Amino acid sequence: MTERLTAEGISYAVANRLVIRDVSVTLAQGELLALIGPNGAGKSTLLRLLTGYIPPARGRCLLADKPLAQWSAQTLARYRAVMLQQTQVGFDWPVETVIGMGRMPWTPQPEPSVIHQVMQLTECLSLAGRRYAALSGGEQQRVQLARALAQLWREGSPRGWLFLDEPTSALDLFHQQHLLRLLKSLTRQGHLHVCVVLHDLNLAALWADRILLLHEGRIVSEGTPIDVLQRETLSRWYGADVQVGPHPCAPTPHVFLTP
């Protein structure tokens, strides 16, 4: 029933300034989509529009041909989960309790088996019993990913739409690699769509199936990493001096800053 999420000509303004301009995009399950672009391009705002957190000024976002605003909050939460850059937890709860919050759309009492499976997937078992407020920024990001996956957990795996805003920003190299490998493998199962904001173009090149490059609220390039991560394209829209070459171990481009 809910195999597509579509934005049709959406725009959004802040203080009479358009920050998203006539964007149309279709998300289908089984794909990892990366949103890239310079600071202020509108990546985080577009992500919030696609999730239904904010309504567009023009256009519409639909899930299964039904506007997001017409979905009840609980039902929408069963199909769409969001991991923001920073998530404040108002209480000093244990890690398991924070992850269990993701099960609220489904049950008043989180199922221990689901929590264990999600913690195992996200390398959070070593954090069991610890207080969330005492964790490092990277550890908190891992817990928030586990919470989001728990929210979408049905029939033994996460299913639906997962939106993440710079989820690798506080992670070390190992956990960046683990997170994106995990998201890629979950999308390949065909039941999950991942839409992720990334600043690291080389992470997007390695793991995204499709990339949207935004500039001043518009999509200025869209396609596979090879299609989008071209030197001329990146130099034009980022204003940076770059070189693009082949990755030594994968059939993807690799972006280098020019000294």
Side-chain angles (χ1 to χ4, degrees):
M1 180 184 78
T2 54
E3 295 180 353
R4 286 190 183 279
L5 194 155
T6 304
E8 298 178 346
I10 58 173
S11 297
Y12 185 76
V14 175
N16 296 320
R17 183 178 71 87
L18 278 176
V19 292
I20 296 295
R21 305 166 181 261
D22 193 30
V23 168
S24 296
V25 62
T26 297
L27 313 182
Q29 290 180 5
E31 179 185 53
L32 196 156
L33 171 69
L35 305 180
I36 66 170
N39 293 338
K43 303 180 295 296
S44 295
T45 302
L46 177 58
L47 187 123
R48 285 165 171 76
L49 288 163
L50 292 172
T51 61
Y53 274 31
I54 55 177
R58 292 196 299 272
R60 58 182 187 165
C61 293
L62 307 108
L63 177 57
D65 298 321
K66 179 179 176 180
L68 293 182
Q70 294 181 16
W71 287 76
S72 71
Q74 181 175 1
T75 303
L76 184 59
R78 292 183 174 187
Y79 293 102
R80 178 270 292 131
V82 184
M83 177 182 164
L84 300 176
Q85 290 184 52
Q86 295 181 333
T87 303
Q88 300 297 324
V89 175
F91 302 94
D92 187 17
W93 285 337
V95 163
E96 294 90 334
T97 302
V98 175
I99 295 172
M101 291 169 60
R103 298 303 294 162
M104 290 179 63
W106 299 95
T107 175
Q109 294 296 326
E111 311 92 326
S113 62
V114 172
I115 303 307
H116 180 83
Q117 289 176 75
V118 170
M119 290 182 71
Q120 189 171 36
L121 266 181
T122 54
E123 298 277 331
C124 286
L125 285 177
S126 62
L127 305 178
R130 295 180 60 183
R131 314 300 290 190
Y132 181 81
L135 302 180
S136 69
E139 290 169 334
Q140 289 185 356
Q141 281 189 314
R142 286 156 53 197
V143 170
Q144 288 300 328
L145 174 63
R147 175 199 57 77
L149 291 176
Q151 182 178 329
L152 298 176
W153 201 267
R154 286 183 290 139
E155 302 174 27
S157 66
R159 296 166 181 256
W161 280 264
L162 176 61
F163 294 87
L164 308 102
D165 196 351
E166 296 188 47
T168 60
S169 60
L171 299 182
D172 58 33
L173 288 176
F174 171 81
H175 287 103
Q176 288 181 16
Q177 184 183 60
H178 178 268
L179 180 143
L180 288 163
R181 278 179 173 173
L182 172 61
L183 295 178
K184 185 75 169 183
S185 68
L186 291 173
T187 58
R188 283 176 174 161
Q189 295 176 20
H191 303 298
L192 184 72
H193 179 282
V194 173
C195 179
V196 56
V197 174
L198 288 173
H199 269 299
D200 190 321
L201 302 184
N202 291 319
L203 294 181
L206 278 173
W207 280 288
D209 297 300
R210 184 161 55 110
I211 294 176
L212 299 185
L213 170 58
L214 282 87
H215 185 269
E216 295 184 352
R218 296 185 186 275
I219 297 174
V220 294
S221 185
E222 176 181 1
T224 67
I226 291 175
D227 294 332
V228 175
L229 301 180
Q230 301 279 341
R231 186 180 65 81
E232 296 81 5
T233 301
L234 298 178
S235 295
R236 176 182 181 184
W237 299 112
Y238 279 88
D241 294 326
V242 299
Q243 294 293 326
V244 178
H247 190 282
C249 303
T252 59
H254 192 83
V255 180
F256 305 85
L257 288 174
T258 301

